[in-house]
Amino acid sequence: MAHPRLLIQIILIYTVWFRLRHNHHHRRRQQHHGLRFNRDRLWSPNYNSSVHRVEGSVGLGPPPPTPASVSPPQQTQNKGFGFTAAAPGAGFNALGFGGFSGLQNSQVQPGATANATSSQLLNTASALSAPAVLNDERDSLLARWNQLQAFWGSGRGYYNNSQAPVEFSPDNPFCRFKAVGFSCAPDLKDEEGCVALILSRPEAEVRSQQQQLVESLHRTFGGALTISVNVEGVRALPDDQTEVLIYLVERSPSGSSKRIPASTLQSFLEQMSVKSQLTALGVLMSVSRTALSHAQIKQLLQNPPAGVDPIIWEQAKEDNPDPEKLIPVPMVGFRELLRRLKIQEQMNKQHQTRVDIISNDVSELQRNQATTAAKITQYKRKLMELSHRVLQVLIRQEVQRKSGFAVQLDEEHLRVQLETIQSELNAPTQFKGRLNELMSQIRMQNHFGAVRAEERYRHLKQQQDGLSHLISVIKDDLDDLKIIEDGLQDSHSQTRKIS
């Protein structure tokens, strides 16, 4: 009798094989009607665009390809980080102003790449369709198992006893766990020279040792006095990693300065000797923050990445919420999805921190505004008082200055106007009568308020008077009892003397 675990494994393998066979026939029927349908529930040509955008985490994905990294679909192993190879031995010291332009990128032989790709595809096809390991009916079961591993994106596919197995990774064209998201395209020009360095150290440590990092990078770039390293910004990344955005400025003997282009700086950083020094500083990778031209974006959109269905790619381009700022990028495997999720959480934390800072600033501004409004009211009242005092001083001064002079014509007109205003104010039906009526109403309201308050506390006053009277009665009774007790004691003492 076979081992129970082995039986369970065989049952699971046959179940998976049956489902794969059923899906295969179903796809054949769909293709017969001119449709491309994918039973994978993670992505399909008719996927919901809203879910697609959530998984894409707009603006949080890997940096888009740089001009040096735009390549045919089968050469996308760099995942869009824009790594390019530079000729070894090139440096800063032997170059003058703009000397980076002398660096040349080493090109891979197209024939060798094509042969390696063809051999890899042939071995993968052999492992998935016709393995020859056991040379019996078990090879068909092994082929189904290899197909399952290829769909999952993990494992080794054995197809020949004399050949090494095929390594199945999420990048293989048959992996089902794929989706397309969106990332913000860089908007910096190549002349600005911004290159991002990803360090395997937390943000706090990088910020505390920023000066030492700049000095170490300066030594890595040759230590020339005409070159200075500048930090544009520092940003925290998941998994205790940090992104440092740098640019280099080269000064000529004449005194003028110029930034080294980002493509030239990136080519220099890709030299093996420089990469080893950067690795010693904790640098994991370098990314050029250079905007793509319209021709490069067009080429990128026309060529779907390796393993991504063209229909999915076309649908992603149609669902792009902002084609001017966002470009579609593939998400292959659960690790990439987890990485984007961590970046999204990190960005959410940074946004929340920024929102808290803005909220505190707004609260502080509101408090300052309330304090300022109170001070303005106080200063207005003080200004009114000072204005009245100044007016009184001016009146007295004018009276003293005009004393002994006859009344002038304009003063007579002013006196007539003032008397007219005074008579209008003193008229019974005019302002003075209304003011007197208002004053009488205010006095009545104050009187009624006092009466109500007196009525409210009258009951308490009566209780207090009753308690005071009761206390006085008790005191009188205690005094009478004291007198009686003293009389009894005196009569008792006299009786004892007589006896």
Side-chain angles (χ1 to χ4, degrees):
M1 184 176 180
H3 197 275
R5 183 175 297 178
L6 180 60
L7 290 177
I8 294 174
Q9 292 178 356
I10 294 174
I11 292 172
L12 290 176
I13 291 173
Y14 271 101
T15 303
V16 173
W17 171 78
F18 179 80
R19 294 186 62 183
L20 292 175
R21 183 178 181 182
H22 175 73
N23 293 344
H24 175 71
H25 289 295
H26 183 72
R27 286 196 301 271
R28 290 287 298 273
R29 289 194 300 269
Q30 293 289 350
Q31 292 176 1
H32 178 71
H33 294 285
L35 299 175
R36 296 292 300 275
F37 183 79
N38 193 331
R39 288 298 299 270
D40 189 354
R41 294 182 182 270
L42 290 182
W43 61 286
S44 65
N46 299 322
Y47 61 90
N48 190 342
S49 60
S50 62
V51 176
H52 172 270
R53 290 168 187 164
V54 170
E55 290 183 348
S57 301
V58 175
L60 302 178
T66 57
S69 64
V70 176
S71 58
Q74 67 272 14
Q75 298 178 1
T76 57
Q77 300 299 326
N78 54 7
K79 297 187 183 297
F81 282 108
F83 281 82
T84 55
F92 288 81
N93 296 336
L95 303 175
F97 186 77
F100 280 94
S101 59
L103 297 175
Q104 300 294 332
N105 295 338
S106 60
Q107 302 293 336
V108 180
Q109 296 296 331
T113 304
N115 293 335
T117 304
S118 300
S119 177
Q120 180 69 17
L121 291 176
L122 180 60
N123 296 338
T124 303
S126 300
L128 299 179
S129 59
V133 179
L134 303 174
N135 296 322
D136 53 18
E137 66 278 1
R138 291 176 293 179
D139 286 340
S140 61
L141 183 60
L142 181 60
R144 299 298 181 182
W145 174 248
N146 291 339
Q147 293 175 12
L148 179 61
Q149 294 185 101
F151 293 159
W152 179 259
S154 177
R156 296 181 179 181
Y158 292 90
Y159 64 95
N160 196 314
N161 292 326
S162 60
Q163 299 290 337
V166 179
E167 296 287 343
F168 294 117
S169 64
D171 296 331
N172 78 86
F174 303 98
C175 181
R176 295 295 185 88
F177 300 101
K178 295 179 181 178
V180 179
F182 300 101
S183 292
C184 290
D187 55 355
L188 299 177
K189 298 181 180 180
D190 186 48
E191 293 78 11
E192 298 182 23
C194 292
V195 174
L197 302 179
I198 310 301
L199 282 73
S200 60
R201 290 188 290 177
E203 179 188 9
E205 181 180 352
V206 173
R207 289 187 180 276
S208 61
Q209 301 179 1
Q210 180 174 331
Q211 184 61 34
Q212 293 85 339
L213 177 63
V214 170
E215 295 176 355
S216 301
L217 291 175
H218 186 263
R219 290 192 296 268
T220 303
F221 294 142
L225 299 178
T226 57
I227 296 175
S228 62
V229 181
N230 300 272
V231 177
E232 182 74 11
V234 179
R235 184 169 65 93
L237 296 178
D239 301 330
D240 290 336
Q241 296 181 1
T242 307
E243 179 188 83
V244 180
L245 195 64
I246 66 169
Y247 64 90
L248 269 64
V249 177
E250 187 175 14
R251 294 178 176 82
S252 63
S254 61
S256 61
S257 60
K258 179 181 178 181
R259 289 192 180 189
I260 297 174
S263 57
T264 305
L265 178 58
Q266 178 65 25
S267 300
F268 179 81
L269 294 176
E270 284 302 309
Q271 299 183 44
M272 296 303 299
S273 58
V274 178
K275 290 182 67 174
S276 61
Q277 299 180 27
L278 294 178
T279 304
L281 296 177
V283 178
L284 299 178
M285 65 180 67
S286 59
V287 183
S288 177
R289 295 293 191 219
T290 305
L292 301 177
S293 63
H294 293 286
Q296 292 169 345
I297 294 178
K298 183 178 179 180
Q299 180 183 1
L300 177 66
L301 297 178
Q302 288 179 350
N303 299 321
V308 177
D309 195 309
I311 298 179
I312 301 293
W313 191 251
E314 292 296 329
Q315 186 68 29
K317 291 191 293 184
E318 294 180 1
D319 293 339
N320 193 340
D322 191 354
E324 298 295 331
K325 297 181 179 180
L326 304 177
I327 58 175
V329 292
M331 293 189 301
V332 181
F334 292 103
R335 289 185 178 179
E336 180 66 16
L337 184 60
L338 178 60
R339 189 184 71 86
R340 294 177 69 92
L341 179 60
K342 289 182 178 180
I343 294 177
Q344 184 175 3
E345 292 177 351
Q346 184 74 22
M347 292 300 297
N348 289 339
K349 291 181 181 179
Q350 294 180 1
H351 292 166
Q352 186 61 42
T353 302
R354 187 59 185 171
V355 168
D356 294 340
I357 294 175
I358 295 176
S359 178
N360 295 333
D361 293 342
V362 170
S363 301
E364 184 67 24
L365 290 176
Q366 290 177 349
R367 289 193 294 269
N368 294 338
Q369 190 267 343
T371 305
T372 304
K375 288 183 178 179
I376 290 174
T377 304
Q378 180 181 359
Y379 292 153
K380 285 182 177 180
R381 185 172 59 254
K382 188 174 183 180
L383 176 62
M384 185 70 66
E385 295 175 357
L386 293 177
S387 300
H388 290 170
R389 293 178 62 182
V390 171
L391 182 60
Q392 292 177 0
V393 171
L394 291 176
I395 291 173
R396 293 180 181 179
Q397 183 180 3
E398 188 68 15
V399 169
Q400 291 181 1
R401 190 175 66 86
K402 292 290 185 177
S403 60
F405 292 92
V407 178
Q408 298 179 359
L409 182 61
D410 55 348
E411 295 177 347
E412 183 66 23
H413 290 307
L414 181 61
R415 184 183 64 80
V416 172
Q417 293 178 2
L418 292 175
E419 289 179 352
T420 305
I421 295 173
Q422 183 69 23
S423 62
E424 290 179 356
L425 292 175
N426 294 330
T429 59
Q430 294 296 326
F431 303 103
K432 189 171 183 180
R434 296 179 182 178
L435 290 175
N436 293 332
E437 184 179 358
L438 291 175
M439 290 297 295
S440 63
Q441 291 180 0
I442 292 174
R443 293 191 187 97
M444 291 178 62
Q445 290 179 358
N446 293 335
H447 175 70
F448 289 151
V451 171
R452 292 193 189 97
E454 184 178 357
E455 291 178 354
R456 183 182 306 171
Y457 296 106
R458 181 178 298 174
H459 180 68
L460 295 177
K461 188 175 184 302
Q462 291 176 355
Q463 290 182 350
Q464 185 176 6
D465 294 341
L467 291 174
S468 300
H469 180 69
L470 182 61
I471 292 172
S472 63
V473 171
I474 293 173
K475 287 183 177 180
D476 294 339
D477 293 343
L478 291 175
D479 293 338
D480 294 340
L481 291 175
K482 182 68 173 174
I483 293 172
I484 293 172
E485 184 179 0
D486 294 339
L488 291 175
Q489 289 180 357
D490 292 340
S491 61
H492 182 66
S493 59
Q494 291 176 3
T495 305
R496 291 180 64 181
K497 290 178 179 180
I498 295 172
S499 60

